[in-house]
Amino acid sequence: MIRQIAGLAAAAALAFFPIASAQAPELIAALKDGSGKRVLVTAHRAAHDVHPENSMAAIERAIEIGVDVIEIDTRLTKDGVVVLMHDDSVDRTTDGKGKVKELTFAEIRKLRLKGADGKLTDQRVPTLIEAMRAMKGKVLVDLDLKTGDLEPILSRVIETDMLDQALFFNGNYAFLEKFRAIAPVIAFPRAHSTEQAATASAQLKPEAIHIDDGFNTDATHKAAMASDSRLWINALGDPDKLVAAGKAKEGIDPLLAHGASMIQTDHPAAVIAYLKSIGRR
């Protein structure tokens, strides 16, 4: 797999990666600013509190409200098309049935996506290329890889000239090191303890480290700051429930209390509005 990626990266190194607007360079600079003065907001599965998750409408809405990062899920169809889908089957999010890997793209494209209320919409399952083109130059993209076959994902990122705006998330630090050595990717390690965060900071010196509530502490922040890395934390779950209930302060302040400066949420508009009200946007 690394050899396959290396071949793609070598080809990519010969290409020029244009950026469609001034927004992307500003976001990349903000991501690399470990001071955390500005809290970056990630829309989990795009703005799916309003539109179907991982849909073009949700992506467009997330861009419209001014998120910094859009998290999307990628899977391969039976005929090798990379589509946006969280689950391994289409059952929950569409009016169809079956495993993504056992359906052709033509079969999946006929399906309609369900909204958060379970009602069918006119939205269809997008391809990764369609999604990347919509986000180009406007936001950073967090690729949650739901497939072990990374070559098709990377090739489509390169094809859309989005290598410099894509965040590659993985819990295998050795893999991230090899990956980053052959392609100019933004490595995004997952940590499960303060000790792991310190290892990620020292070994990878990443732009950000993904942490959990259980070790959202001053010690973890200190470990990240050793390499000027941001700490990314989820509002998913109880914090987002408070945000949805109009209690953003109670939901968000504890996440920020120890230095975390990237928040992934299912309610990006409300989180952005709160952060602006406290001067963190």
Side-chain angles (χ1 to χ4, degrees):
M1 178 56 64
I2 292 295
R3 187 177 296 111
Q4 292 173 323
I5 293 173
L8 285 166
L14 300 176
F16 171 65
F17 298 100
I19 294 177
S21 75
Q23 183 70 0
E26 291 171 4
L27 289 174
I28 293 167
L31 177 66
K32 294 177 182 291
D33 176 13
S35 68
K37 293 178 181 178
R38 172 183 174 179
V39 179
L40 302 184
V41 175
T42 299
H44 181 233
R45 303 181 199 171
H48 75 277
D49 52 344
V50 178
H51 299 287
E53 65 181 61
N54 283 310
S55 68
M56 293 302 294
I59 288 170
E60 290 161 4
R61 169 65 178 164
I63 293 170
E64 179 184 318
I65 64 179
V67 305
D68 306 291
V69 185
I70 295 177
E71 187 262 1
I72 55 175
D73 303 286
T74 57
R75 290 188 182 274
L76 266 67
T77 65
K78 182 179 181 180
D79 48 348
V81 177
V82 185
V83 296
L84 272 53
M85 183 68 60
H86 177 271
D87 301 356
D88 64 354
S89 79
V90 300
D91 298 21
R92 178 179 64 87
T93 56
T94 78
D95 58 349
K97 298 286 184 181
K99 301 284 188 182
V100 176
K101 65 181 181 181
E102 295 173 357
L103 296 170
T104 66
F105 175 62
E107 290 171 327
I108 288 178
R109 192 64 145 185
K110 293 176 182 177
L111 306 178
R112 292 164 62 192
L113 288 167
K114 298 176 184 177
D117 58 4
K119 294 181 180 178
L120 288 177
T121 70
D122 62 355
Q123 292 288 300
R124 307 285 175 169
V125 177
T127 66
L128 178 59
I129 287 180
E130 290 170 334
M132 296 297 269
R133 284 174 176 163
M135 293 183 280
K136 184 177 173 62
K138 300 171 185 175
V139 292
L140 302 179
V141 184
D142 174 27
L143 294 164
D144 191 341
L145 309 174
K146 300 297 185 182
T147 170
D149 193 353
L150 301 184
E151 184 179 4
I153 311 296
L154 183 57
S155 67
R156 283 153 178 82
V157 172
I158 291 172
E159 180 180 342
T160 53
D161 295 331
M162 287 280 285
L163 194 60
D164 51 1
Q165 288 173 240
L167 313 180
F168 287 83
F169 174 74
N170 201 285
N172 184 325
Y173 299 174
F175 172 78
L176 285 177
E177 272 193 321
K178 291 177 181 178
F179 202 177
R180 197 166 61 177
I182 58 177
V185 301
I186 300 175
F188 201 58
R190 178 77 163 88
H192 296 280
S193 66
T194 297
E195 292 72 25
Q196 272 199 334
T199 298
S201 178
Q203 186 173 332
L204 294 168
K205 296 179 172 54
E207 287 78 7
I209 302 169
H210 194 301
I211 65 169
D212 291 328
D213 283 347
F215 57 102
N216 180 20
T217 63
D218 291 341
T220 301
H221 184 233
K222 182 178 179 181
M225 288 307 295
S227 60
D228 202 32
S229 301
R230 286 179 176 268
L231 289 178
W232 166 309
I233 195 165
N234 286 338
L236 312 178
D238 290 339
D240 263 346
K241 289 178 182 177
L242 289 168
V243 171
K247 298 179 179 180
K249 179 178 178 62
E250 293 86 341
I252 300 303
D253 281 5
L255 301 181
L256 303 178
H258 301 285
S261 59
M262 293 183 74
I263 296 177
Q264 179 168 244
T265 174
D266 286 330
H267 301 285
V271 171
I272 287 173
Y274 176 68
L275 291 173
K276 285 182 177 178
S277 76
I278 62 172
R280 299 296 300 274
R281 294 286 294 177

